Amino acid sequence: MGGSGLRVIDFGRASALRSQTLWHAVAYGVSEGAPPTLSFVRPAEPYVCLGYHRRLDEVDEKYCAAQGLPVLRRMVGGGPVYLDSDQLFFQICLPQDSVSPARSAAIRDLLTPAVAAYRAAGVVAAELDANLEISLGDRKICGHGAGQIEDAVVVCGNLIERFDHERATSVLRMPDGVDRAEVLRLMRRYVAATPADPAAFKQAAARAYARALGLRAEPGDLTSGERAALAELDARFSSEEWTAGPGSRAARPPDGIKIRAGVWVGTTKQKGQS
């Protein structure tokens, strides 16, 4: 891939809201001609995030309210997930025309450098498995999401330094017939933290993505246009209407809870491994 610069932005710690709206603003910027961008952000407080097309009732709103956990909706897909300051998030954002139109190929291309960063930071057995998840053996070590925002493609992932399996299970509203204890058991079994050095991971990720894209990694910041988009996104993501989402127009909710690719807790039987 030609070009010269890969903009690298480390947002540091940010509020729950900003940990989402910052990288969305970058996507709008890249869509408008800003350079390909690798960004990092760490939430300052815990919260729950839900995919664009998913139903809000997949989240246990009563539990979240009692725990003071904000619920935010992102523009890329996927179910509800728990995020906190023990997770470092990274986002790689590129113009649409520089990414394979085949979703699986694009995800493979844009997660492979992250695997190299995991290995360089000490998680030497990390791999991109057949399900296109970053794994250590049969345990998922990175949650990822991907999507297109206007004319930009973004893939997000995380370095999980520690993981609160109990809270990650508690924020989910269980479909009728799903055993919460079984969800927790399998989450502990198949979702793992990798307490790597986050500074080493960020440095390695910048090198790996620059090398893969044929670009030079350069520290950067938001453009004026991205800052304007950030203010609008803050307001949009804070609105009840946005959080409520498509409601009855949303895709049919799953019959069970997905732990990782191939591992589900279903309403009548568990699908996949146990």
Side-chain angles (χ1 to χ4, degrees), residues 188-206:
R188 285 174 170 155
R189 168 67 180 83
Y190 287 107
V191 181
T194 50
D197 178 359
F201 177 83
K202 288 186 283 189
Q203 293 169 2

Side-chain angles (χ1 to χ4, degrees), residues 48 59-71 167 170-171:
V48 175
V59 176
D60 188 334
E61 291 186 85
K62 289 185 178 180
Y63 173 84
C64 292
Q67 296 293 313
L69 295 173
V71 178
R167 183 168 267 195
S170 296
V171 303

Side-chain angles (χ1 to χ4, degrees), residues 6-241:
L6 171 68
R7 180 176 54 163
V8 180
I9 307 178
D10 187 351
F11 292 116
R13 286 183 179 264
S15 68
L17 176 65
R18 280 288 175 92
S19 73
Q20 288 294 322
T21 57
L22 281 163
W23 66 264
H24 282 83
V26 166
Y28 279 113
V30 171
S31 177
E32 293 294 324
T37 302
L38 173 65
S39 56
F40 302 96
V41 67
R42 186 183 297 274
E45 65 266 343
Y47 69 103
V48 175
C49 192
L50 180 66
Y52 182 69
H53 293 289
R54 301 294 282 264
R55 295 173 63 100
L56 184 58
D57 62 10
E58 293 181 52
V59 176
D60 188 334
E61 291 186 85
K62 289 185 178 180
Y63 173 84
C64 292
Q67 296 293 313
L69 295 173
V71 178
L72 300 173
R73 184 179 294 275
R74 59 190 180 270
M75 289 185 180
V76 299
V81 289
Y82 171 76
L83 305 84
D84 64 16
S85 61
D86 288 329
Q87 302 172 55
L88 172 70
F89 291 86
F90 63 91
Q91 303 87 25
I92 180 68
C93 187
L94 303 172
Q96 174 192 0
D97 60 9
S98 65
V99 178
S100 171
R103 179 180 174 84
S104 60
I107 291 176
R108 182 174 298 280
D109 289 346
L110 296 180
L111 284 181
T112 295
V115 173
Y118 273 96
R119 291 174 176 172
V123 190
V124 295
E127 64 177 355
L128 191 63
D129 66 21
N131 295 307
L132 298 180
E133 290 191 336
I134 300 178
S135 301
L136 198 58
D138 61 359
R139 307 185 76 190
K140 179 169 98 172
I141 60 172
C142 174
H144 77 266
Q148 183 172 330
I149 297 176
E150 293 197 341
D151 293 326
V153 170
V154 60
V155 173
C156 312
N158 59 345
L159 174 69
I160 307 171
E161 297 163 48
R162 286 171 294 278
F163 193 64
D164 190 334
H165 296 88
E166 292 83 357
R167 183 168 267 195
T169 301
S170 296
V171 303
L172 304 175
R173 183 173 181 269
M174 298 293 157
D176 291 343
V178 170
D179 182 358
R180 186 177 296 274
E182 180 67 356
V183 172
L184 176 57
R185 183 184 76 81
L186 290 176
M187 196 172 289
R188 285 174 170 155
R189 168 67 180 83
Y190 287 107
V191 181
T194 50
D197 178 359
F201 177 83
K202 288 186 283 189
Q203 293 169 2
R207 291 193 301 269
Y209 276 104
R211 183 168 56 249
L213 299 171
L215 303 173
R216 183 176 63 253
E218 301 172 339
D221 204 347
L222 295 179
T223 66
S224 59
E226 288 166 341
R227 292 186 185 281
L230 180 62
E232 188 278 327
L233 287 161
D234 283 348
R236 189 194 315 177
F237 278 35
S238 299
S239 71
E240 291 184 5
E241 181 180 9

Side-chain angles (χ1 to χ4, degrees), residues 239-255:
S239 71
E240 291 184 5
E241 181 180 9
W242 175 262
T243 304
S248 61
R249 304 189 307 280
R252 181 179 179 272
D255 292 330

